[in-house]
Amino acid sequence: MTNSEEQQFLNDLEKKLWNAADKLRSTLDAAQYKHTVLGLIFLKYVSDAFDIRRDELRQQLTDADHDYFLDPEDFGGADSEDYAAEIDIELEVRDYYLETNTFWVPQQARWQFLQDNNKAVIGGAELSFQDERGEDKTLKISSVGHLIDNALEAIEADNPKLKGVLNKRYTQLQIDQSKLGELIDLIATVPFNHASLNSKDILGHVYEYMLGQFALAEGKKGGQFYTPKSIVSLIVQMLEPFRGRVYDPAMGSGGFFVQSEHFITEHRGKIGEVSIYGQEYNHTTWQLAAMNMAIRGIDFNFGKEPANTYINDQHPDLRADFVMANPPFNMKEWDTGVADDDKRWQYGRPPSGNANFAWLQHMLYHLAPNGSMGLLLANGSMSSNTNNEGEIRKRLIEADLVECMVALPGQLFTNTQIPACIWFLSKNKGARTSVAGRKLRDRQGEVLFIDARNLGYMKDRVLRDFTQEDLNQVTETYHNWQTGENYEDVPGFVKAAKLEELQKHDFVLTPGRYVGAAAEEDDGEPFAEKMARLTGQLKTQFAESDRLEAEIKKNLAGLGFDV
């Protein structure tokens, strides 16, 4: 958790960045300015990180105790032009940056270059710079958008992992070039360095904040790539993906991977022990996800290209240890080009009118023998019997794959009011040691039901959110049940049910059917007496209401109103 000074720093940063977005709001729609602002923030960050490393190198090159020390006496003294020139040459050696996992940023992509030239190129200009070998080069730049696109192309050329990832469309923006120049100057004031906050953490915070704000601005469309942070955190906390292969077949902007990184770091694990796999259909969202990983230095495999998960599976042979996803709810017409006998439909062919059980079975297919998965779905998935859905759910339960069901409160999502739940499935509910080191008991033949609909708070007039205490309550309940330590059923909140009980409920998985009602405190007043007392109070209140209504009518009549 951040302290108050750090939080204030981040809050000020958020305001500055949203002001940056506002500069474009009148001329670009939300989807366009999202990519415009995030692309520039990415450029600013990699340039800042490069400058920080450059300053470190300058100190090392002039420090007699360091291996990289350049003795000024070999170049005519510390004040000589030759010595200064040699330092500048060394500062452009790419290997010095790569050894600390710092992006190599060519001179024409550095923020100072953009800031120094964004006014000059309006209307066209020829710019001079030096390449990494110190050779003079010139660029013909036609606009501010062209200046930015050229910077992004240079970064892609020098960082193959980003090939095809960066959104190089600034030249095509229908926008006043001076506005774009103003945006560069404003983002130049955004600091990615802080005394106690890591620069990657700052950028990560910025990225998550901007994605959330853009999701709100774009409404339903924007929410397609953004899952509320607290929901992602809940799934990650419950699954504990410390090591192994982590897969999201509907990854959006990569939120599950980011929270996995946070979780692993907080628990002193190593993100390098996790392999990241994802897939995304929307090209620009696929780009956002790749940028999201790149800025954090997380290695990833998002397939060769953006693609439809059902007809162009980018990871056909993957068997993941953890699968986490928030796919589009109740997606229709998903199965064009998908065979009825596809090998993924082991528990029944999903209906064409709803992809919920297609997502679920796709994830199960890619799950390793000891793997676990968490999947956000619409509430209808827990009880629907239309078009084979009830039969698929029954087969999943009878195969003992369902481990835990969590009912969520409403109003958690920016893009939909559809009530949602989380399915947790496991391919092995037998006794074993989890990746996180927990001694799991034998849970075969059991399903845990958690009703979390009463948790959370209203963060504003329309959106609900969870506190960390809420997340911990659900997570600890789940883990205690898994281990058999400190667990007990709590009426109205949690119940461990046997498969026989699920059969009696026709294989419906709605937690409310199992947890029952919360126990009410006995105030000692007999029911008949309480009912008589409350009825009397109600009659008195009705009489007072009638009296006040008559008084108001009398006063209005005195003022000349016809009542």
Side-chain angles (χ1 to χ4, degrees):
M1 297 295 289
T2 57
N3 61 39
S4 57
E5 186 275 329
E6 290 172 345
Q7 191 58 54
Q8 186 58 51
F9 171 82
L10 294 173
N11 291 344
D12 292 343
L13 193 57
E14 289 173 358
K15 289 177 186 174
K16 185 170 285 189
L17 288 163
W18 197 242
N19 287 339
D22 272 344
K23 278 192 170 290
L24 299 176
R25 205 190 301 227
S26 61
T27 51
L28 296 175
D29 66 34
Q32 283 183 302
Y33 73 66
K34 169 181 70 194
H35 294 289
T36 303
V37 174
L38 286 174
L40 283 172
I41 289 171
F42 173 80
L43 268 177
K44 175 66 163 59
Y45 167 74
V46 295
S47 189
D48 277 14
F50 181 88
D51 288 343
I52 290 169
R53 176 57 179 156
R54 187 181 175 88
D55 290 342
E56 286 176 358
L57 279 172
R58 188 180 294 277
Q59 289 182 345
Q60 292 167 358
L61 290 166
T62 56
D63 180 359
D65 295 327
H66 200 278
D67 292 342
Y68 292 159
F69 175 61
L70 285 180
D71 192 339
E73 298 306 317
D74 295 339
F75 301 94
D79 297 327
S80 71
E81 290 184 7
D82 287 347
Y83 184 61
E86 190 63 28
I87 292 287
D88 286 343
I89 290 171
E90 287 294 307
L91 289 175
E92 295 296 321
V93 175
R94 182 194 301 253
D95 289 346
Y96 287 144
Y97 299 87
L98 299 184
E99 70 183 12
T100 58
N101 201 26
T102 302
F103 265 88
W104 167 258
V105 183
Q107 191 179 102
Q108 70 269 35
R110 295 173 196 170
W111 195 265
Q112 195 61 52
F113 187 84
L114 300 185
Q115 204 175 351
D116 290 345
N117 293 295
N118 73 71
K119 309 289 191 304
V121 299
I122 295 175
E126 194 168 277
L127 305 179
S128 299
F129 70 99
Q130 286 188 331
D131 64 16
E132 61 184 288
R133 292 182 295 275
E135 297 178 3
D136 291 330
K137 300 286 184 180
T138 58
L139 280 173
K140 288 185 178 180
I141 299 295
S142 59
S143 64
V144 180
H146 187 194
L147 181 72
I148 299 168
D149 281 344
N150 181 76
L152 293 169
E153 286 169 5
I155 284 180
E156 271 197 6
D158 278 290
N159 297 277
K161 191 75 176 176
L162 291 179
K163 185 171 179 60
V165 163
L166 303 180
N167 205 44
K168 305 179 295 295
R169 297 180 182 175
Y170 288 82
T171 307
Q172 301 169 27
L173 293 175
Q174 300 298 311
I175 185 174
D176 185 339
Q177 292 297 298
S178 62
K179 282 266 188 193
L180 212 45
E182 286 176 30
L183 185 57
I184 289 174
D185 290 339
L186 179 60
I187 291 177
T189 66
V190 174
F192 286 118
N193 55 337
H194 184 271
S196 56
L197 286 170
N198 181 285
S199 60
K200 286 183 180 178
D201 290 338
I202 296 171
L203 183 65
H205 178 89
V206 165
Y207 214 85
E208 287 177 26
Y209 168 76
M210 297 297 277
L211 287 174
Q213 291 299 107
F214 286 129
L216 285 170
E218 291 181 81
K220 183 175 180 181
K221 183 181 177 185
Q224 288 176 358
F225 66 85
Y226 183 76
T227 306
K229 181 179 175 182
S230 62
I231 304 300
V232 178
S233 295
L234 178 60
I235 293 176
V236 170
Q237 281 184 203
M238 291 176 75
L239 289 181
E240 298 183 305
F242 270 112
R243 288 190 310 277
R245 300 170 297 276
V246 178
Y247 174 53
D248 183 347
M251 67 183 178
S253 55
F256 280 106
F257 304 134
V258 172
Q259 288 308 312
S260 296
E261 183 210 16
H262 290 335
F263 180 82
I264 292 167
T265 303
E266 286 171 7
H267 291 79
R268 300 184 180 179
K270 297 178 181 178
I271 189 64
E273 295 181 350
V274 170
S275 302
I276 300 296
Y277 297 86
Q279 181 154 349
E280 172 60 38
Y281 177 69
N282 182 283
H283 184 266
T284 51
T285 308
W286 182 80
Q287 291 175 307
L288 282 177
M291 285 170 60
N292 212 355
M293 299 301 102
I295 60 181
R296 292 174 166 83
I298 299 175
D299 196 26
F300 62 92
N301 182 345
F302 291 164
K304 295 179 181 178
E305 59 189 352
N308 182 304
T309 302
Y310 294 121
I311 59 176
N312 189 4
D313 189 347
Q314 294 287 291
H315 309 287
D317 300 321
L318 174 66
R319 295 298 177 267
D321 301 288
F322 301 96
V323 185
M324 303 178 282
N326 172 26
F329 292 169
N330 304 326
M331 184 177 165
K332 302 182 187 306
E333 299 176 4
W334 58 271
D335 58 346
T336 302
V338 181
D340 288 347
D341 60 350
D342 190 293
K343 55 189 175 184
R344 290 171 290 185
W345 313 149
Q346 295 178 24
Y347 302 94
R349 194 205 186 282
S352 298
N354 195 317
N356 288 342
F357 285 101
W359 286 112
L360 191 153
Q361 290 191 82
H362 173 87
M363 291 169 66
L364 267 177
Y365 178 78
H366 282 290
L367 201 59
N370 283 328
S372 299
M373 60 180 263
L375 170 65
L376 268 164
L377 286 178
N379 274 1
S381 62
M382 298 188 289
S383 58
S384 170
N385 285 315
T386 57
N387 298 320
N388 203 37
E389 289 186 332
E391 185 61 30
I392 295 174
R393 188 172 57 250
K394 175 185 174 184
R395 291 174 185 172
L396 291 167
I397 293 168
E398 290 178 336
D400 207 8
L401 292 164
V402 181
E403 177 154 50
C404 177
M405 300 296 301
V406 179
L408 297 172
Q411 295 179 272
L412 286 171
F413 299 89
T414 58
N415 59 322
T416 181
Q417 293 302 309
I418 298 174
C421 60
I422 310 175
W423 290 63
F424 289 94
L425 291 90
S426 177
K427 283 215 174 162
N428 180 3
K429 289 162 69 176
R432 60 186 176 91
T433 301
S434 75
V435 168
R438 295 185 188 278
K439 300 290 186 183
L440 306 181
R441 66 181 180 86
D442 187 347
R443 288 117 39 235
Q444 294 179 91
E446 273 186 57
V447 177
L448 185 69
F449 291 94
I450 298 176
D451 192 341
R453 289 177 297 172
N454 293 322
L455 299 183
Y457 68 101
M458 294 302 294
K459 62 189 296 186
D460 55 38
R461 290 184 301 105
V462 295
L463 277 177
R464 194 175 187 89
D465 203 357
F466 284 133
T467 64
Q468 187 59 49
E469 289 71 26
D470 294 328
L471 302 182
N472 292 345
Q473 181 183 353
V474 175
T475 300
E476 288 169 11
T477 298
Y478 176 60
H479 290 161
N480 290 346
W481 170 78
Q482 284 186 312
T483 60
E485 298 175 2
N486 303 316
Y487 172 80
E488 60 180 29
D489 293 343
V490 178
F493 176 60
V494 62
K495 170 71 182 294
K498 299 289 187 183
L499 293 187
E500 294 78 15
E501 190 172 349
L502 275 62
Q503 187 175 10
K504 291 177 184 176
H505 284 281
D506 295 323
F507 300 99
V508 168
L509 292 174
T510 308
R513 290 212 179 186
Y514 300 91
V515 302
E520 294 186 13
E521 291 186 17
D522 184 359
D523 58 9
E525 183 178 10
F527 175 78
E529 292 179 16
K530 181 186 286 189
M531 194 65 186
R533 177 175 59 79
L534 293 175
T535 302
Q537 287 179 356
L538 189 60
K539 287 181 179 178
T540 302
Q541 288 166 351
F542 280 153
E544 179 65 8
S545 174
D546 291 342
R547 186 189 70 77
L548 290 172
E549 183 181 0
E551 190 70 27
I552 291 169
K553 286 181 178 180
K554 178 180 174 182
N555 291 337
L556 288 173
L559 293 172
F561 290 98
D562 183 12
V563 293

